[in-house]
């Protein structure tokens, strides 16, 4: 079966068509600037192979339906076609916030009230994610539309991990609790780590660190998430590119009273002007390193704050798990940045975590172990693959 995976953003659509017979990528692409005067579409047929063909379009793309139609045309018609449209047996959609949904679902009409309800949990993402699914349903009548929620993996967290200590009515009436995010990635790398360690995921405890522009961690006990660092929204937890992560909630009031800022402005500062960018002016970790190399003291501080926060969470999750078999780094920074990995694990020898300097320095797209032979906790770098994870979930459901 061939499965189309879609990640629909507010003005973009990322897509990938996979042949599930061998999990190969037949085509992939990115539609951007939807709704602007000029849109773009960058498409690759057979990416990463000798047969790779790249197509670039520049034209107005008024809405997501038009963007998706262009993508499907490129995948299924013309010189670079990689499939017949009829071969697409399911469409998998990434959805950031699932609220009460604790597993992937095939969309049914009756679900829409509950699905629409999730939009307030991720107002920047969910309306676009679900809108993409609606458009795909129109373009592929009768083909199962599978929603894979970024929060689903975290639904196994016990109440003591997901409850905030605020009046209970806000949980009951407003569903305010911790939901987490990046769950598809945490689940995927936990499974891969177990496979690489030659163990069943049910038999080991892992700490997974997804560190990209957005960053989160999960404590995974016997294959089930028992804690994660993101909360009601993806703002809580680690220091991110532009997001503050953990913060004294009284900072809101302090800024409102002392600076006269309104709630929307404060929210914008914490989401878009904070994190690495807030500390040193650079939200991209590569720029932070370049600044450190130039002797920029603020960039050094940003790196220290970022890695210290993650290290603190490793300590917390070691306590939450009781025993740790492996730590996994993944996503843009986790997969590529040996300096961040080394600084994060620094000083954790008494936790049984020791990085092998040479193994850590190797640059590769492959999964690899970077701990020393005498490190009792295995430390891994494992590339995430959210598209494949979504396609596998969709396949399992439609089968
Ligand atoms: P997103 O959350 O947008 O999916 P990514 O997982 O692509 O983010 O991660 C983006 C982050 O990864 C950026 O901070 C970028 O600097 C960092 N990154 C990517 N490549 C490298 C690299 N070679 N070295 C250090 N950091 C990198």
């Amino acid at each position: 079966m061939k499965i189309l995976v879609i990640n629909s953003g507010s003005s973009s659509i990322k897509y990938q068509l996979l042949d599930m017979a061998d999990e190969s990528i037949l085509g992939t692409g990115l539609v951007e600037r939807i709704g602007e005067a000029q849109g773009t579409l960058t498409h690759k047929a057979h990416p990463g192979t000798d047969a790779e063909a790249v197509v670039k379009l520049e034209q107005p793309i008024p809405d997501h339906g038009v963007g998706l139609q262009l993508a499907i045309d490129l995948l299924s018609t013309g010189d670079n076609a990689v499939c017949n449209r009829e071969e697409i047996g399911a469409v998998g959609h990434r959805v950031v916030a699932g609220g009460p949904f604790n597993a992937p679902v095939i969309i049914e009409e009756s679900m829409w009230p509950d699905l629409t309800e999730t939009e307030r949990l991720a107002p920047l993402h969910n309306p676009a994610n679900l809108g993409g699914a609606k458009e795909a349903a129109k373009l592929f009548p009768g083909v199962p539309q599978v929603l894979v929620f970024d929060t689903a993996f975290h639904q196994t967290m016990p109440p003591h991990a997901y409850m905030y200590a605020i009046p209970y009515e806000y949980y009951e009436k407003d569903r305010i609790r911790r939901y987490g995010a990046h769950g598809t990635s945490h689940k995927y790398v936990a499974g891969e780590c177990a496979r690489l360690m030659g163990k069943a995921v049910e038999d080991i405890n892992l700490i997974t660190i997804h560190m990209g522009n957005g960053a989160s961690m999960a404590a995974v006990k016997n294959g089930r998430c028992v804690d994660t660092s993101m909360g009601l929204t993806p703002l809580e937890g680690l220091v991110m590119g532009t997001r503050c992560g953990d913060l004294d909630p009284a900072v809101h009031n302090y800024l409102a009273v002392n600076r006269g800022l309104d709630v929307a402005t404060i929210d914008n500062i914490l989401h878009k002007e904070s994190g690495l960018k807030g500390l040193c002016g650079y939200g991209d970790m590569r720029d932070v390193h370049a600044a450190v190399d130039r002797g920029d003291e603020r960039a050094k501080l940003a790196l220290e704050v970022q890695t210290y926060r993650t290290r603190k969470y490793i300590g917390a999750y070691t306590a939450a798990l009781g025993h740790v078999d492996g730590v996994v780094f993944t996503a843009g920074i986790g997969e590529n940045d040996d300096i961040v990995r080394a600084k994060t694990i620094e000083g954790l020898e008494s936790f049984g975590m020791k990085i092998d300097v040479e193994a850590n320095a190797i640059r590769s797209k492959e999964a690899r172990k970077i701990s020393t032979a005498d490190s009792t906790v295995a430390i891994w770098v494992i590339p995430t693959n959210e598209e494949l994870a979504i396609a596998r979930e969709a396949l399992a459901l439609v089968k």
Side-chain angles (χ1 to χ4, degrees):
M1 185 187 293
K2 298 188 174 50
I3 292 182
L4 181 62
V5 175
I6 293 175
N7 185 349
S8 184
S10 55
S11 65
S12 68
I13 305 170
K14 269 193 222 165
Y15 61 89
Q16 200 171 95
L17 180 70
L18 294 104
D19 184 346
M20 297 312 286
D22 59 359
E23 297 189 332
S24 62
I25 303 170
L26 297 172
T28 183
L30 176 62
V31 187
E32 287 176 293
R33 298 174 191 272
I34 295 172
E36 291 182 28
Q38 193 71 282
T40 61
L41 195 165
T42 310
H43 176 86
K44 281 184 189 168
H46 303 295
T49 70
D50 294 343
E52 179 173 295
V54 181
V55 182
K56 290 195 180 190
L57 300 181
E58 274 197 36
Q59 65 183 76
I61 304 175
D63 56 43
H64 286 69
V66 172
L68 209 47
Q69 180 69 61
L70 286 170
I72 294 162
D73 288 345
L74 285 167
L75 288 166
S76 61
T77 61
D79 295 345
N80 298 311
V82 293
C83 72
N84 286 319
R85 207 176 149 137
E86 296 71 38
E87 289 176 298
I88 298 176
V91 184
H93 300 270
R94 177 187 189 212
V95 182
V96 166
F101 289 92
N102 61 5
V105 292
I106 299 177
I107 301 182
E108 288 170 25
E109 208 48 47
S110 61
M111 288 172 186
W112 278 110
D114 285 339
L115 290 171
T116 308
E117 174 90 347
T118 63
E119 293 189 350
R120 64 178 171 159
L121 294 170
L124 297 181
H125 297 103
N126 265 39
N129 300 158
L130 295 171
K134 282 183 186 157
E135 292 303 330
K138 284 187 221 157
L139 293 171
F140 291 97
V143 174
Q145 303 293 320
V146 180
L147 303 181
V148 180
F149 303 100
D150 249 7
T151 49
F153 182 56
H154 304 308
Q155 283 284 313
T156 50
M157 276 193 287
H160 62 248
Y162 70 64
M163 287 301 291
Y164 289 115
I166 59 175
Y168 198 77
E169 65 166 297
Y170 298 116
Y171 167 64
E172 278 186 308
K173 297 204 180 108
D174 301 274
R175 295 176 193 258
I176 295 179
R177 50 159 282 181
R178 308 183 59 253
Y179 292 100
H182 294 143
T184 308
S185 177
H186 287 291
K187 182 180 177 184
Y188 176 81
V189 296
E192 283 297 292
C193 187
R195 188 179 64 77
L196 290 160
M197 290 174 75
K199 301 260 171 77
V201 76
E202 291 78 18
D203 293 337
I204 54 174
N205 292 346
L206 300 170
I207 296 174
T208 51
I209 308 174
H210 177 110
M211 202 185 270
N213 275 317
S216 69
M217 284 172 62
V220 186
K221 194 176 180 73
N222 307 124
R224 292 158 67 87
C225 175
V226 293
D227 205 349
T228 193
S229 60
M230 284 178 167
L232 174 73
T233 76
L235 188 59
E236 193 181 337
L238 303 181
V239 175
M240 309 181 217
T242 64
R243 280 174 256 168
C244 59
D246 293 338
L247 183 79
D248 181 345
V251 168
H252 284 76
N253 187 57
Y254 196 92
L255 284 174
V257 171
N258 293 291
R259 286 277 198 123
L261 302 180
D262 60 28
V263 173
T265 305
I266 296 170
D267 198 53
N268 192 57
I269 292 168
L270 302 181
H271 278 91
K272 301 204 173 132
E273 304 296 332
S274 299
L276 297 172
K277 183 179 176 195
L279 285 166
C280 72
Y282 305 105
D284 190 299
M285 191 54 99
R286 284 165 291 200
D287 297 335
V288 175
H289 287 305
V292 169
D293 291 345
R294 293 193 301 271
D296 184 322
E297 290 299 328
R298 293 258 226 96
K300 281 186 206 167
L301 175 67
L303 192 59
E304 293 298 335
V305 176
Q306 196 264 4
T307 50
Y308 174 69
R309 180 83 53 88
T310 312
R311 188 155 69 245
K312 222 162 67 161
Y313 266 93
I314 292 176
Y317 286 177
T318 300
L321 292 168
H323 167 85
V324 184
D325 297 289
V327 172
V328 183
F329 285 93
T330 193
I333 299 171
E335 291 168 30
N336 293 301
D337 196 324
D338 55 318
I339 297 171
V340 167
R341 290 193 300 254
K343 284 186 82 66
T344 300
I345 300 295
E346 206 172 82
L348 296 180
E349 293 82 5
S350 68
F351 284 51
M353 298 175 193
K354 286 192 210 168
I355 281 208
D356 180 321
V357 177
E358 275 175 31
N360 186 36
I362 294 170
R363 301 195 61 87
S364 162
K365 296 237 173 279
E366 303 297 319
R368 56 211 183 269
K369 191 159 139 182
I370 58 165
S371 46
T372 58
D374 65 341
S375 180
T376 52
V377 177
I379 305 170
W380 292 85
V381 177
I382 301 181
T384 193
N385 191 339
E386 288 168 284
E387 287 79 12
L388 176 58
I390 291 171
R392 283 181 183 169
E393 299 273 15
L395 181 68
L397 213 55
V398 300
K399 259 184 171 172

